[in-house]
Amino acid sequence: MSAGPVAFPAQLVTLLRGSSRLVALTGAGVSQESGLRTFRDAHPSTGSGRAGLWSQHKPEDLASPEAFRRDPKLVWDWYAWRREAVKAVRPNPGHYALAEMEQHVPGFTLITQNVDGLHRMAGSQNVLELHGNIQRVRCAECYTFTEVWDDDTESVPRCRVCGGLLRPDVVWFGESLPRDQLEAAVEAARACEVFFSIGTSGVVQPAASLAFAAHNRGAVVVEINAEPTPLTQKADHVFHGRSGEILPRLVEAVWKIT
Ligand SMILES: [Zn+2]
């Protein structure tokens, strides 16, 4: 599968070596390389076992406030199933390369659209989670987070503070992104020298606009993705392929000089 060593432009290598403000935005492609299926993939038209069981539902029927109001137990069970799927996967070399990059760049911000928590598991520290984290559970009413709950086969567990229903701390269709995370992401994108867009289709807003914001402020934009995206034409450097192969080589080329 490997197309041999990736050649990185000397200009990019030099820039990264001297960079002190860097942003990396990651999307579903990065998680997919760990074997985690995307939202769409998790809904095969024909499936087997538990995956097949959920295939009769559209994403909007499982991941929206309306769905939760209509059938909280269905939504809770689906997320319980997805949480288990996430527990079965591990960070891939791309996740680890990003964690290592953070060690070399003083002002490093990782912005992710993924809810699986794999970046933190790989050692990344400064992580902004635009779509929440599937492993976190909070009250749907009073926002209190909880680490423990009574799993009941009949009903959705309730908040110990107010008695409200518990839900995953992820952003559903029709909900706005966590404001603190988004504001920090916009700020980092506007101030960075280099902006990486990795494994993201570049169509999910407002995340997609971050790359353009960085570009407009004069940052060098680097895209790493399996296929071209709306960002490709504006990017200064484009690498088509797997981030789990390209990122470790880039880190080696830039920071591991002998
Ligand atoms: Zn509550």
Side-chain angles (χ1 to χ4, degrees):
M1 285 299 285
S2 175
V6 182
F8 299 105
Q11 199 185 8
L12 176 63
V13 170
T14 307
L15 175 71
L16 287 172
R17 212 170 276 161
S19 168
S20 60
R21 291 190 309 280
L22 196 154
V23 166
L25 168 71
T26 66
V30 175
S31 295
Q32 268 175 303
E33 289 181 32
S34 279
L36 201 62
R37 296 192 294 178
T38 63
F39 205 98
R40 201 176 296 275
D41 293 339
H43 286 76
S45 53
T46 56
S48 58
R50 296 296 294 275
L53 192 72
W54 295 111
S55 66
Q56 56 187 300
H57 301 282
K58 291 198 295 260
E60 298 81 358
D61 293 343
L62 294 164
S64 69
E66 294 74 27
F68 191 63
R69 267 196 296 277
R70 190 168 54 236
D71 193 343
K73 180 63 175 158
L74 178 77
V75 173
W76 176 267
D77 283 350
W78 188 59
Y79 278 96
W81 175 71
R82 288 189 69 198
R83 262 199 301 276
E84 288 309 306
V86 166
K87 279 180 190 161
V89 301
R90 290 290 166 265
N92 65 61
H95 289 107
Y96 289 113
L98 287 167
E100 192 173 342
M101 219 183 254
E102 187 171 5
Q103 303 296 315
H104 296 284
V105 181
F108 181 92
T109 306
L110 200 149
I111 305 169
T112 188
Q113 296 164 280
N114 301 331
V115 298
D116 47 50
L118 289 173
H119 285 297
R120 287 183 202 278
M121 204 185 288
S124 285
Q125 309 269 322
N126 191 20
V127 183
L128 299 172
E129 293 172 322
L130 293 184
H131 294 170
N133 188 318
I134 199 171
Q135 304 295 353
R136 278 198 309 264
V137 169
R138 66 168 173 87
C139 175
E141 302 297 327
C142 76
Y143 235 93
T144 301
F145 288 91
T146 181
E147 305 260 302
V148 286
W149 57 84
D150 301 318
D151 255 323
D152 183 324
T153 53
E154 297 299 314
S155 57
V156 174
R158 288 183 178 274
C159 171
R160 290 181 184 183
V161 176
C162 77
L165 295 175
L166 296 182
R167 58 162 283 180
D169 187 35
V170 297
V171 176
W172 281 337
F173 288 99
E175 290 186 320
S176 39
L177 272 58
R179 187 194 280 188
D180 58 336
Q181 305 289 291
L182 182 60
E183 283 178 357
V186 169
E187 200 175 311
R190 284 180 177 163
C192 72
E193 299 155 339
V194 187
F195 187 101
F196 280 86
S197 179
I198 308 164
T200 174
S201 62
V203 293
V204 179
Q205 294 292 357
S209 65
L210 293 171
F212 292 101
H215 172 79
N216 291 341
R217 289 287 183 118
V220 168
V221 174
V222 184
E223 181 176 65
I224 301 174
N225 201 48
E227 58 234 17
T229 75
L231 178 66
T232 306
Q233 289 212 320
K234 292 237 177 187
D236 298 277
H237 302 277
V238 177
F239 302 98
H240 290 308
R242 294 166 66 86
S243 54
E245 290 173 9
I246 294 165
L247 283 170
R249 289 175 186 173
L250 181 63
V251 168
E252 175 137 7
V254 175
W255 289 288
K256 292 184 180 167
I257 320 301
T258 51

